[in-house]
Amino acid sequence: MGLLAAGIGAGIVAVGAGIGIGMIGRSSVESIARQPEASGDIRGAMILTAALIEGVALIGAIVCILLALGIGQ
Amino acid sequence: MGLLAAGIGAGIVAVGAGIGIGMIGRSSVESIARQPEASGDIRGAMILTAALIEGVALIGAIVCILLALGIGQ
Amino acid sequence: MGLLAAGIGAGIVAVGAGIGIGMIGRSSVESIARQPEASGDIRGAMILTAALIEGVALIGAIVCILLALGIGQ
Amino acid sequence: MGLLAAGIGAGIVAVGAGIGIGMIGRSSVESIARQPEASGDIRGAMILTAALIEGVALIGAIVCILLALGIGQ
Amino acid sequence: MGLLAAGIGAGIVAVGAGIGIGMIGRSSVESIARQPEASGDIRGAMILTAALIEGVALIGAIVCILLALGIGQ
């Protein structure tokens, strides 16, 4: 049961991080293309929000690794 | 049963945080591109709302870690 | 059964808070970009509505922690 | 069974409040950006409708706490 | 079974009230922004329709509380 959870969970984590960071990255490159002189501010906002998503996703991935290794069973 | 819940729950948490922070980050970089001189105010609003989502998501992740480690069973 | 509920519930809570606060944050940064001189009023409305969502989400998270720790079983 | 209901119910309550108050907050900040001089009326309408949603959501959360603690079983 | 119904039902009630009152609140603040001099009429229509949704939602919530407390079983 834990193995099933690890696999499904890791997949859903990747979907969440993918959609979220994908939306940020997409708009970032479009915005830099429109205002190249603001690329420093854009890159700062991009890194900050993407890092917040990455933080939650890594914790979700760690939960899945715990499950896959059978720790806590 | 707790293991299945931990995996799936961690995944759904990441989806929620991803979509939410993704929407904020996406609009932030577009807004900075449109009004580079307002980037300070934009960054303040961005960090505040993203931190609120991050707070709920981390609590959800802690619930999943509790479940994965079998605490409370 | 309570464990399954805790995991899935924590995930759905995060989705709700993510979508809701994400919509608010998204429009806030866009509005500040359009009317930088109204950023005080915008920030006030943003914090108030985001705090209302955060309140419901935290109560939902507390329910999930109660379930994960087996209190009330 | 009541535990499963508490977890899933708390999650769905948060989704409802998140979407509803999120829509209100989103339009409020956009409206304040468009008509900064009407921000008093806009804030009044925003607080009234958000409070109505918050009221239903809190009652839903109380139902979930009753279920999680096993009151009435 | 009544407990499961109470939890899920309370959640769906909150979703319904959230979406409904959210749509009303959203359009109300946008309308006040477009026609600030009509804010009295707009507020009257807003309160009336939101109160109708609130009435149905509270009755649904009372049904869920009855189920959670096991009255009528």
Side-chain angles (χ1 to χ4, degrees):
Chain A
M1 193 65 94
L3 300 176
L4 182 64
I8 295 176
I12 305 177
V13 163
V15 168
I19 293 175
I21 301 181
M23 285 197 291
I24 296 172
R26 170 189 184 175
S27 295
S28 296
V29 295
E30 288 176 359
S31 301
I32 291 175
R34 224 175 333 161
Q35 289 277 350
E37 68 271 21
S39 68
D41 281 338
I42 290 169
R43 199 178 300 119
M46 180 189 81
I47 292 174
L48 186 58
T49 49
L52 287 173
I53 296 176
E54 192 77 3
V56 174
L58 284 186
I59 291 176
I62 289 171
V63 170
C64 293
I65 291 176
L66 288 178
L67 293 173
L69 297 178
I71 297 170
Q73 272 178 327
Chain B
M1 195 63 94
L3 301 176
L4 185 63
I8 295 177
I12 304 177
V13 164
V15 169
I19 293 176
I21 301 180
M23 285 196 291
I24 296 172
R26 171 187 185 174
S27 295
S28 295
V29 295
E30 289 177 0
S31 300
I32 292 175
R34 223 174 331 161
Q35 288 278 350
E37 69 270 21
S39 69
D41 281 338
I42 291 169
R43 200 179 297 119
M46 179 190 82
I47 292 174
L48 185 58
T49 49
L52 286 173
I53 296 176
E54 191 80 2
V56 174
L58 286 185
I59 291 176
I62 289 170
V63 171
C64 293
I65 291 177
L66 288 178
L67 293 173
L69 297 179
I71 297 170
Q73 271 179 327
Chain C
M1 195 63 93
L3 300 175
L4 185 63
I8 295 177
I12 304 177
V13 164
V15 168
I19 292 176
I21 302 179
M23 284 197 291
I24 295 172
R26 171 188 186 173
S27 295
S28 295
V29 295
E30 289 177 359
S31 300
I32 292 175
R34 223 174 332 162
Q35 288 279 349
E37 69 270 22
S39 69
D41 280 338
I42 290 170
R43 199 178 299 119
M46 179 190 83
I47 291 174
L48 185 58
T49 48
L52 287 173
I53 297 176
E54 190 81 2
V56 174
L58 286 185
I59 290 176
I62 289 170
V63 171
C64 293
I65 290 176
L66 288 178
L67 293 172
L69 296 179
I71 298 170
Q73 270 179 328
Chain D
M1 196 62 93
L3 301 175
L4 186 62
I8 295 178
I12 303 177
V13 164
V15 169
I19 292 177
I21 302 180
M23 284 197 291
I24 295 172
R26 170 189 187 173
S27 295
S28 295
V29 295
E30 288 175 356
S31 301
I32 292 175
R34 223 174 332 162
Q35 288 278 351
E37 70 270 22
S39 69
D41 281 338
I42 290 169
R43 199 180 298 118
M46 179 191 83
I47 291 174
L48 185 59
T49 48
L52 287 173
I53 297 176
E54 190 81 3
V56 174
L58 286 185
I59 290 176
I62 289 170
V63 171
C64 294
I65 291 176
L66 288 178
L67 293 172
L69 296 179
I71 298 170
Q73 270 179 328
Chain E
M1 195 61 92
L3 300 175
L4 186 62
I8 296 178
I12 302 177
V13 164
V15 169
I19 293 176
I21 301 180
M23 284 196 291
I24 295 172
R26 171 189 187 173
S27 296
S28 295
V29 295
E30 287 175 356
S31 301
I32 292 175
R34 226 173 327 164
Q35 289 278 349
E37 69 270 21
S39 69
D41 283 339
I42 291 170
R43 198 180 300 118
M46 180 191 81
I47 292 173
L48 185 58
T49 48
L52 288 173
I53 296 177
E54 191 81 3
V56 173
L58 286 185
I59 291 176
I62 289 170
V63 171
C64 293
I65 291 176
L66 288 179
L67 291 172
L69 297 179
I71 297 169
Q73 270 179 331

